[in-house]
Amino acid sequence: MKVCWLVIWAVVCVSVAACTPHKPAAPAAPTVVLQESTVSVILSCLEENRDLSRQDQRSAYADLEKQANSGADTQTLRLACLGLHERATYRQFRRSIELVTGWTTARPDEATSLNGLLAVLKWLDRERVARWMQHREQAAEKKKLTAENAQLTERIGLFELQAEQDRVRIGELQQQIEQLKNIENIIKTRER
């Protein structure tokens, strides 16, 4: 009989447990995974390396260029960063634009921010080219003005030489006039 009561008691407990509402387990706190975006990596790299000298920038770029060909993402991003440095050559700058363009197609999830960076870089490129063209035109204008200045300086020298010759000639003519006046005075005094 004890076994019977035990079975009944177990059935009642199971039935009561089945009827009570189950509370869901407290949700686990979501884990936040922070992943730096490509743009922030490039910009923070630029900030870290802004004080590099021209020599150090060129050396670091050359070293990374060899390593970036292996395809390591961090090396490629660092290469793009050094190519955007203010002391980078134009070829390095253009290479960085190509690298960012490649990242845009390779990382569609970051395409928006990369396209924004790319737009800024292309604008900078156009400004650099415009400034270079302006500098080139100014250099050509300066060369032209320097040539004109040399010609004018030469002409001034010739005019000064001619003016000096004219002063000498005028002096000679004045002496001749004085001599003629003296001769005329001598003739007048003899005639009297």
Side-chain angles (χ1 to χ4, degrees):
M1 183 111 166
K2 279 188 175 191
V3 173
C4 186
W5 279 107
L6 194 55
V7 170
I8 291 175
W9 178 249
V11 169
V12 169
C13 283
V14 170
S15 344
V16 168
C19 291
T20 60
H22 291 286
K23 290 184 181 177
T31 50
V32 178
V33 177
L34 293 176
Q35 181 180 2
E36 264 191 313
S37 71
T38 303
V39 173
S40 65
V41 169
I42 291 173
L43 294 177
S44 59
C45 174
L46 276 171
E47 179 61 26
E48 290 169 9
N49 294 303
R50 74 176 174 176
D51 294 331
L52 283 180
S53 67
R54 185 176 307 276
Q55 182 75 13
D56 292 339
Q57 184 275 338
R58 300 264 164 87
S59 175
Y61 187 89
D63 293 342
L64 276 173
E65 196 168 28
K66 295 171 191 168
Q67 296 172 9
N69 293 334
S70 66
D73 288 350
T74 55
Q75 302 302 339
T76 305
L77 284 178
R78 187 150 165 71
L79 182 67
C81 161
L82 288 175
L84 299 175
H85 193 274
E86 66 180 289
R87 291 181 180 89
T89 65
Y90 185 69
R91 185 188 66 79
Q92 292 171 347
F93 183 76
R94 291 294 304 162
R95 173 81 171 120
S96 291
I97 291 176
E98 291 170 8
L99 290 172
V100 171
T101 303
W103 273 84
T104 303
T105 56
R107 309 242 187 216
D109 55 325
E110 295 185 56
T112 304
S113 61
L114 285 170
N115 282 333
L117 176 63
L118 199 55
V120 170
L121 294 179
K122 286 181 179 179
W123 174 78
L124 283 173
D125 184 38
R126 286 190 303 272
E127 289 298 314
R128 249 182 155 174
V129 169
R131 192 173 73 207
W132 177 77
M133 290 295 290
Q134 183 181 22
H135 177 72
R136 196 171 125 194
E137 289 170 0
Q138 287 174 346
E141 184 68 23
K142 181 180 177 183
K143 185 177 179 181
K144 178 183 168 188
L145 290 174
T146 303
E148 284 181 23
N149 189 24
Q151 288 176 346
L152 291 173
T153 303
E154 184 179 331
R155 287 182 68 191
I156 288 172
L158 290 174
F159 287 142
E160 286 175 347
L161 180 64
Q162 186 177 8
E164 183 60 34
Q165 290 173 348
D166 288 345
R167 276 193 289 276
V168 169
R169 180 73 178 139
I170 289 172
E172 289 173 357
L173 290 174
Q174 284 177 340
Q175 283 180 350
Q176 288 177 359
I177 291 172
E178 288 298 319
Q179 288 174 356
L180 288 173
K181 283 183 181 179
N182 288 340
I183 292 173
E184 184 181 353
N185 286 337
I186 292 173
I187 294 175
K188 282 183 184 179
T189 53
R190 283 189 182 169
E191 289 179 354
R192 291 192 201 161

